[in-house]
């Protein structure tokens, strides 16, 4: 929510009692003004790659205004806010960025054609992401792994969502999904983003079945899956390796998704579908076009964002600004227990990682984070706490 805007220096003995929280909209206006100053002051692309640039500021402005227009922050559905979000995204359409044609290589390529700005690393200032999320069979820590819930969400190549309820394992009868062979005929982005039982890793197959190489100890994946996106396979997985793969901060796919969502809320469904389908139809993905209308189209925009931007740090904020977290955050987290048969086939059994229902754990207060109590004390109680976090 809104926070104080501080434009003067306070000394250590200063009186903070005049510090008040601004409204959310006032904070957005303040941020946008700063970004506009950056856009006017810096070149579109930096002379030294991935330093701050006008285009990076345009991308951040697009995200800020999209969040500001969303239901959490715009409950009245003010169309002007959606227009600002659409206009901000559109400013990047003619800046020379093109959608990557290899969804897998994109995330290890510092010269990716759709990266507007990324966090880069070097041999001196290196990343250990590959080691932190790598497969346990190759000495990775597997600190973050995909749930079966997101695996179920990757469409089949006919454009259908294969499993409509991960907890129950409800299969969409209109899809090509086969529970006996669950990884066949899936969106190419699934294969580029997730290691699953039987997928290729360098010179071997991933084994997440019981007793398999990648389920051999307590440090293995609890879901039967590992993240492949961001993994620098050619370097192997080791705590001593100095990984230099970039992490995307802003890329063109997000901008097209921002534009699609804004145009939908402006009533321009044709423009929303066109932007959405640019992502789906690009070389290397080639998923069927979205033809939906109305609420179904909005659901597909939400779903496309879930898949396209998976593991890139967007989902937490998206489900809150859409105000659907009371649903997404209260479902059971699911995994696959996979057993190997004597004939080499596999059985896939769903199980809950969360044994107790999470429905009673959600409160609408969680749509906002609390103001730290220490900050309220510093302000001599002039800062107002968010609703739902007050001391009783």
């Amino acid at each position: 929510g809104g926070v104080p805007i501080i434009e003067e220096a306070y000394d250590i003995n200063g009186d903070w009692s005049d510090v008040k929280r601004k409204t959310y909209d006032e904070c957005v206006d303040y941020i946008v003004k700063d970004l506009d100053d950056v856009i006017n002051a810096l070149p579109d692309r930096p002379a030294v790659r991935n330093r701050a640039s006008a285009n990076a500021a345009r991308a951040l402005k697009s995200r800020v205004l999209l969040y500001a227009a969303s239901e959490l922050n715009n409950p009245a559905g003010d169309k002007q806010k959606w227009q600002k979000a659409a206009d901000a995204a559109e400013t990047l359409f003619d800046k020379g960025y093109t959608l990557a044609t290899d969804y897998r290589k994109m995330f290890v390529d510092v010269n990716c054609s759709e990266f507007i700005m990324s966090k880069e690393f070097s041999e001196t200032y290196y990343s250990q992401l590959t080691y932190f999320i790598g497969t346990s069979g190759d000495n990775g820590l597997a600190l973050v792994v995909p749930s079966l819930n997101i695996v179920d969400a990757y469409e089949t190549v006919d454009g259908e969502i294969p499993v409509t309820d991960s907890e129950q394992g409800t299969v969409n009868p209109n899809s090509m999904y086969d529970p006996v062979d669950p990884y066949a005929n899936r969106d190419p982005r699934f294969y580029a983003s997730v290691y699953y039982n039987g997928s290729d890793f360098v010179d071997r197959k991933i084994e997440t079945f019981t007793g398999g190489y990648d389920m051999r100890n307590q440090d293995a994946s609890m879901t039967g899956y590992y993240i492949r996106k961001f993994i620098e396979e050619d370097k192997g997985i080791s705590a001593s390796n100095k990984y230099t793969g970039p992490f995307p901060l802003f890329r063109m796919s997000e901008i097209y998704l921002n534009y699609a969502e804004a145009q939908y809320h402006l009533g321009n469904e044709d423009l929303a579908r066109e932007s959405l389908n640019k992502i789906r139809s690009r070389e290397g993905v080639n998923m069927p076009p979205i033809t939906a209308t109305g609420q179904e189209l909005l659901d597909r925009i939400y779903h496309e964002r879930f898949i396209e931007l998976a593991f890139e740090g967007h989902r937490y904020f998206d489900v809150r600004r859409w105000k659907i977290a009371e649903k997404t955050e209260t479902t059971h987290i699911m995994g696959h227990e996979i057993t190997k048969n004597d004939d080499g086939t596999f059985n896939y059994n769903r199980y809950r990682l969360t044994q107790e229902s999470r429905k009673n754990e959600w409160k609408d207060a969680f749509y906002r984070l609390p103001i730290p109590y220490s900050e309220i004390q510093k302000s001599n109680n002039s800062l107002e706490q968010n609703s739902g976090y007050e001391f009783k």
Side-chain angles (χ1 to χ4, degrees):
V3 296
I5 295 176
I6 306 296
E7 294 188 291
E8 61 179 287
Y10 285 82
D11 63 42
I12 194 168
N13 296 314
D15 180 8
W16 290 78
S17 59
D18 61 336
V19 174
K20 305 290 185 182
R21 296 177 66 179
K22 299 294 186 179
T23 67
Y24 184 90
D25 286 347
E26 286 173 327
C27 293
V28 169
D29 290 343
Y30 189 85
I31 293 167
V32 168
K33 182 183 180 300
D34 271 355
L35 292 172
D36 284 339
D37 289 344
V38 171
I39 291 167
N40 291 327
L42 293 184
D44 284 354
R45 292 178 184 250
V48 178
R49 191 180 61 224
N50 278 321
R51 288 191 176 177
S53 67
N55 285 344
R58 288 185 179 101
L60 179 54
K61 182 177 176 179
S62 171
R63 190 183 297 176
V64 167
L65 291 174
L66 181 80
Y67 282 27
S70 300
E71 183 177 350
L72 178 64
N73 305 309
N74 182 24
D78 184 347
K79 297 286 187 185
Q80 291 184 341
K81 293 185 177 183
W82 285 113
Q83 188 64 59
K84 288 180 180 180
D87 292 344
E90 194 170 11
T91 63
L92 284 157
F93 289 176
D94 63 352
K95 301 302 181 185
Y97 300 100
T98 58
L99 295 177
T101 58
D102 190 323
Y103 190 86
R104 162 68 189 146
K105 291 182 180 178
M106 178 196 326
F107 299 101
V108 294
D109 179 11
V110 294
N111 294 306
C112 176
S113 63
E114 75 169 80
F115 280 8
I116 300 168
M117 189 176 190
S118 65
K119 171 66 176 176
E120 290 193 14
F121 300 90
S122 67
E123 290 284 333
T124 302
Y125 302 101
Y126 55 89
S127 166
Q128 286 194 303
L129 184 59
T130 291
Y131 172 59
F132 289 151
I133 67 174
T135 55
S136 62
D138 293 276
N139 301 310
L141 295 184
L143 295 181
V144 180
V145 297
S147 65
L148 177 56
N149 308 64
I150 190 170
V151 169
D152 285 338
Y154 281 93
E155 297 170 27
T156 44
V157 292
D158 54 1
E160 295 284 345
I161 299 171
V163 179
T164 56
D165 185 324
S166 290
E167 185 176 347
Q168 302 300 324
T170 307
V171 174
N172 176 1
N174 297 320
S175 75
M176 301 170 64
Y177 183 74
D178 181 359
V180 178
D181 189 10
Y183 313 127
N185 302 311
R186 304 296 287 273
D187 184 329
R189 291 172 291 186
F190 168 70
Y191 304 113
S193 303
V194 177
Y195 288 126
Y196 55 90
N197 186 55
S199 62
D200 293 322
F201 179 79
V202 190
D203 57 354
R204 71 179 185 87
K205 298 286 188 183
I206 296 293
E207 298 180 352
T208 56
F209 57 85
T210 301
Y213 195 60
D214 299 290
M215 295 295 287
R216 64 184 184 177
N217 57 43
Q218 69 272 19
D219 296 322
S221 169
M222 296 178 66
T223 65
Y225 300 96
Y226 293 88
I227 295 175
R228 188 182 186 193
K229 188 185 272 193
F230 316 121
I231 295 288
E232 297 182 61
E233 294 176 342
D234 60 326
K235 294 183 179 179
I237 298 176
S238 170
S240 61
N241 284 354
K242 297 179 178 180
Y243 301 102
T244 57
F247 188 89
L249 301 178
F250 304 106
R251 61 186 182 95
M252 202 60 203
S253 286
E254 179 195 348
I255 304 304
Y256 284 129
L257 287 164
N258 294 354
Y259 186 75
E261 188 175 337
Q263 290 294 357
Y264 172 86
H265 285 285
L266 290 169
N268 302 322
E269 292 194 1
D270 287 346
L271 290 175
R273 282 189 293 269
E274 179 184 357
S275 190
L276 199 61
N277 289 328
K278 282 181 180 178
I279 297 170
R280 294 173 64 84
S281 66
R282 73 185 186 271
E283 183 180 342
V285 174
N286 295 317
M287 289 294 288
I290 297 296
T291 60
T293 61
Q295 181 62 44
E296 184 183 354
L297 174 57
L298 182 61
D299 291 342
R300 294 310 295 257
I301 291 171
Y302 287 178
H303 188 266
E304 190 69 19
R305 197 174 175 93
F306 185 28
I307 296 303
E308 174 66 25
L309 303 178
F311 317 127
E312 295 178 47
H314 294 268
R315 183 69 173 173
Y316 175 93
F317 302 100
D318 283 344
V319 298
R320 283 161 178 76
R321 67 182 180 85
W322 293 331
K323 293 203 73 175
I324 63 171
E326 65 262 31
K327 297 178 182 177
T328 62
E329 305 293 83
T330 58
T331 58
H332 283 289
I333 299 172
M334 303 298 293
H336 254 156
E337 182 181 41
I338 306 170
T339 54
K340 187 174 184 179
N341 300 316
D342 292 340
D343 61 0
T345 59
F346 297 94
N347 295 323
Y348 297 90
N349 298 309
R350 294 170 178 270
Y351 75 99
R352 298 175 179 176
L353 274 74
T354 47
Q355 296 305 313
E356 301 296 329
S357 172
R358 301 197 295 167
K359 294 188 184 299
N360 294 329
E361 296 177 6
W362 177 262
K363 298 178 181 179
D364 284 348
F366 298 160
Y367 278 116
R368 303 288 190 195
L369 293 175
I371 302 297
Y373 183 60
S374 60
E375 298 301 311
I376 294 176
Q377 288 179 307
K378 286 180 193 176
S379 74
N380 294 322
N381 295 312
S382 68
L383 290 182
E384 184 179 348
Q385 182 59 277
N386 282 333
S387 176
Y389 293 102
E390 303 90 346
F391 281 105
K392 301 297 185 183

